[in-house]
Amino acid sequence: MLKFILRRIGASALVLLGASFLMFILTVNSGDPLQDLRESNDPNRDQLMAERTERMRLDDSDWERYWDWLSGVGGCFTGSCDLGVTINGIDVLNLTQQAASSTLRLITLSTLLAIVVGVALGIMTAIRQYSGFDYAVTFSAFLFFSLPVFWAATLLKEYAAIQYNNWIAVGQYAPWTIVIAALLAGFLLQAVLGGSARRRLVTGAATFGFVAVLLFAFNALDWWRNPMFGIAGVLVVSAAAGVLVTALVAGLRNRRALYAALTTVVVGVIAYWFTAPLLVNEPSWLLLIGLFVVSLVVSVAIGAAWGGYARKDSMLVTGITGVITSIMVVADVLMAHWNSFLGVKSRPISTIGSQTPNFNGEFWERVLDMGTQILLPTILLTLVSVATHSRYTRSSMLETLNQDYVRTARSKGLSEREVIVKHAFRNALIPITTIVAFDFAALIGGAIITEQVFGWKGMGALFQDGLRAVDPAPVMAFFLVTGIAAVLMNLLADIAYAALDPRIRR
């Protein structure tokens, strides 16, 4: 496996080298970097042209300029990284660090959400093949995949930002809106759960009544402007998530895994009770990261203690449950600060930029500001990727479910959960892993348009600015970050193959 990884790294390095040279040559020959100065009436025009010519080494050959850039990149291995300067003399390394952190934050979050949602939808549609739910997801997948990114971004800005910001000033749903939302929820849930006509009717009616009552209660409590969750809410939602994770991973008949998950939730809620003053009065990113690591270690330890004969499954269940509980704790703290955030930023959902200029809120208000800034581009990129992941997952699952070993597993009397999770899904993940790796690199390309529409100063803006100015340094910085990200994701996919299919290790 080590030799395989080293060979892949070597081949990837050669591909990056050849592609970087091609990108450099195309960029420097795409236009005239002195065009704006040639058309200028500035009395110092000749001096400015001479300075830019010297700064960009325009009198040197393309080979010499490329070798100079490559030497600067090579210095990154010795701690003296030099990516050159822009056409205006700004250090490209600093620009790249800022742009890469912005774009990769957006891409990573979108990719994770797309994987979770897309794979889950793909599995459910494969199990419920040719059902109404399958047709609805298929139609939605093709719709989202076909939407022009710039047009979908404009719709999101209008309805998810501008209209929402107008509505949140009052924060009350009209009665007809509540009825429509309840009807839609009832229709969707009965389509997902399926069953006989009577079961569908009961499911839809119960969901309609529950959602309608809940939304009317939210209106009465002014919940949309003063959301409340509390420790009880964290306990209930986390416990439900723990039961669901247990059912999917180990099965509810595995009492040890179930008790481990519930123990993890109880310990997490108790820890929240004691750490709440610290989270409210002295919050910091270091504190959040530290508490998350501790919660993950404690969760896995609980799984190991409860596990017994099913220790591996129990540790996986408690690890996932611990992560969900931690997320619910942070969500509760954020909701508690939502009203104060509205006092600082009355129109919370932003349509431009990755952060609000001169924002003066406290720590949790700043976290909410970062979240609302990243919300719309994340939704857009996630919707596009969910369409791809769900279709490939469905296709791969259907192919796997028709294999002989799946029929054998069913004939042995294994539960449907074991057949789906431990036999079909594991083997279906192999082609899905490839798609996820390629999709990560493709998302960066798609993010160029998304970043421009939402005014997000990331790698896309860096690439466009360099290309317009015929400035190779920013363009090559974009290539370097995105190329390395694509190579690393494909390398991780190769390693994941060995974990999913033991035959590959040989």
Side-chain angles (χ1 to χ4, degrees):
M1 188 65 186
L2 179 60
K3 292 181 180 179
F4 172 74
I5 292 175
L6 292 176
R7 285 198 304 268
R8 285 301 304 270
I9 292 176
S12 300
L14 291 176
V15 170
L16 286 175
L17 183 64
S20 66
F21 176 72
L22 181 61
M23 175 72 80
F24 189 91
I25 296 301
L26 290 175
T27 302
V28 297
N29 290 282
S30 62
D32 182 9
L34 300 175
Q35 183 67 35
D36 59 324
L37 293 178
R38 296 185 196 280
E39 299 173 351
S40 173
N41 295 322
D42 194 311
N44 297 324
R45 185 187 67 174
D46 294 339
Q47 181 181 352
L48 294 175
M49 290 178 64
E51 291 177 354
R52 182 176 296 181
T53 299
E54 181 180 359
R55 183 187 306 124
M56 299 183 66
R57 299 183 58 182
L58 297 180
D59 291 333
D60 295 339
S61 65
D62 295 347
W63 281 98
E64 291 174 320
R65 295 176 65 189
Y66 173 74
W67 179 255
D68 183 62
W69 175 82
L70 192 61
S71 300
V73 173
C76 296
F77 296 98
T78 60
S80 57
C81 194
D82 181 15
L83 300 183
V85 295
T86 67
I87 197 171
N88 297 316
I90 303 174
D91 184 39
V92 174
L93 180 60
N94 292 331
L95 291 178
T96 304
Q97 290 173 342
Q98 298 171 6
S101 63
S102 179
T103 294
L104 292 179
R105 185 172 78 238
L106 174 63
I107 297 302
T108 302
L109 182 59
S110 303
T111 302
L112 291 175
L113 289 174
I115 291 172
V116 173
V117 177
V119 170
L121 287 176
I123 294 173
M124 287 190 290
T125 52
I127 297 173
R128 301 281 307 282
Q129 186 182 15
Y130 302 135
S131 64
F133 175 72
D134 182 23
Y135 288 129
V137 172
T138 300
F139 173 78
S140 301
F142 283 117
L143 176 64
F144 292 136
F145 187 77
S146 304
L147 284 178
V149 174
F150 63 89
W151 184 68
T154 304
L155 291 180
L156 277 176
K157 291 174 71 170
E158 173 63 26
Y159 295 103
I162 297 174
Q163 297 299 329
Y164 173 83
N165 289 334
N166 294 336
W167 173 81
I168 196 62
V170 179
Q172 295 286 311
Y173 279 125
W176 64 268
T177 304
I178 294 178
V179 171
I180 293 176
L183 284 172
L184 184 61
F187 174 78
L188 291 176
L189 189 59
Q190 64 84 25
V192 172
L193 297 180
S196 62
R198 180 180 178 183
R199 179 180 175 182
R200 287 174 178 268
L201 182 61
V202 171
T203 301
T207 304
F208 171 83
F210 174 78
V211 172
V213 171
L214 185 67
L215 293 181
F216 274 114
F218 281 171
N219 273 356
L221 296 172
D222 195 24
W223 193 89
W224 305 108
R225 292 183 55 83
N226 297 281
M228 297 172 290
F229 207 55
I231 291 181
V234 173
L235 178 63
V236 171
V237 175
S238 300
V243 173
L244 178 61
V245 171
T246 305
L248 293 175
V249 175
L252 294 178
R253 289 183 296 181
N254 189 335
R255 296 301 181 184
R256 285 184 174 274
L258 179 60
Y259 296 154
L262 296 178
T263 303
T264 301
V265 173
V266 173
V267 171
V269 170
I270 293 174
Y272 178 34
W273 177 275
F274 286 103
T275 58
L278 194 62
L279 289 171
V280 173
N281 299 322
E282 300 179 23
S284 67
W285 287 111
L286 184 62
L287 174 65
L288 291 179
I289 294 173
L291 290 177
F292 178 77
V293 172
V294 170
S295 67
L296 190 60
V297 172
V298 171
S299 300
V300 173
I302 292 173
W306 267 107
Y309 66 90
R311 179 167 293 153
K312 185 177 179 181
D313 287 343
S314 297
M315 292 171 65
L316 180 59
V317 167
T318 54
I320 298 174
T321 304
V323 171
I324 295 175
T325 304
S326 301
I327 293 174
M328 293 307 304
V329 167
V330 173
D332 182 49
V333 177
L334 288 174
M335 282 195 292
H337 289 81
W338 178 252
N339 187 260
S340 61
F341 174 65
L342 291 179
V344 180
K345 187 178 179 183
S346 58
R347 299 183 67 82
I349 308 299
S350 302
T351 59
I352 295 295
S354 58
Q355 60 183 9
T356 302
N358 303 319
F359 187 78
N360 296 319
E362 300 295 332
F363 175 82
W364 290 112
E365 281 79 15
R366 292 197 301 272
V367 174
L368 283 168
D369 178 62
M370 292 173 58
T372 53
Q373 294 286 154
I374 202 174
L375 180 64
L376 296 186
T378 298
I379 291 175
L380 179 61
L381 293 176
T382 301
L383 288 177
V384 174
S385 296
V386 161
T388 303
H389 294 332
S390 64
R391 299 311 300 162
Y392 275 102
T393 303
R394 179 183 182 275
S395 176
S396 183
M397 279 292 294
L398 288 175
E399 182 180 356
T400 305
L401 287 171
N402 291 323
Q403 298 295 319
D404 290 338
Y405 62 85
V406 174
R407 298 190 187 95
T408 303
R410 286 196 173 104
S411 66
K412 288 165 60 178
L414 297 180
S415 66
E416 190 66 14
R417 183 200 64 81
E418 292 176 303
V419 172
I420 297 296
V421 175
K422 292 188 176 182
H423 291 76
F425 180 57
R426 183 185 178 98
N427 289 279
L429 273 177
I430 295 177
I432 297 171
T433 304
T434 305
I435 298 303
V436 170
F438 280 105
D439 190 62
F440 184 84
L443 264 181
I444 297 178
I448 295 178
I449 301 174
T450 304
E451 288 176 4
Q452 183 171 3
V453 174
F454 288 105
W456 192 275
K457 294 299 182 182
M459 296 302 297
L462 188 70
F463 174 79
Q464 288 182 324
D465 292 342
L467 205 57
R468 289 194 191 101
V470 198
D471 187 2
V475 175
M476 297 307 296
F478 170 85
F479 171 83
L480 194 64
V481 172
T482 56
I484 291 176
V487 168
L488 287 178
M489 287 301 296
N490 281 278
L491 184 61
L492 290 176
D494 291 335
I495 297 174
Y497 293 155
L500 293 170
D501 190 349
R503 296 172 299 179
I504 297 178
R505 302 174 196 171
R506 300 184 181 274

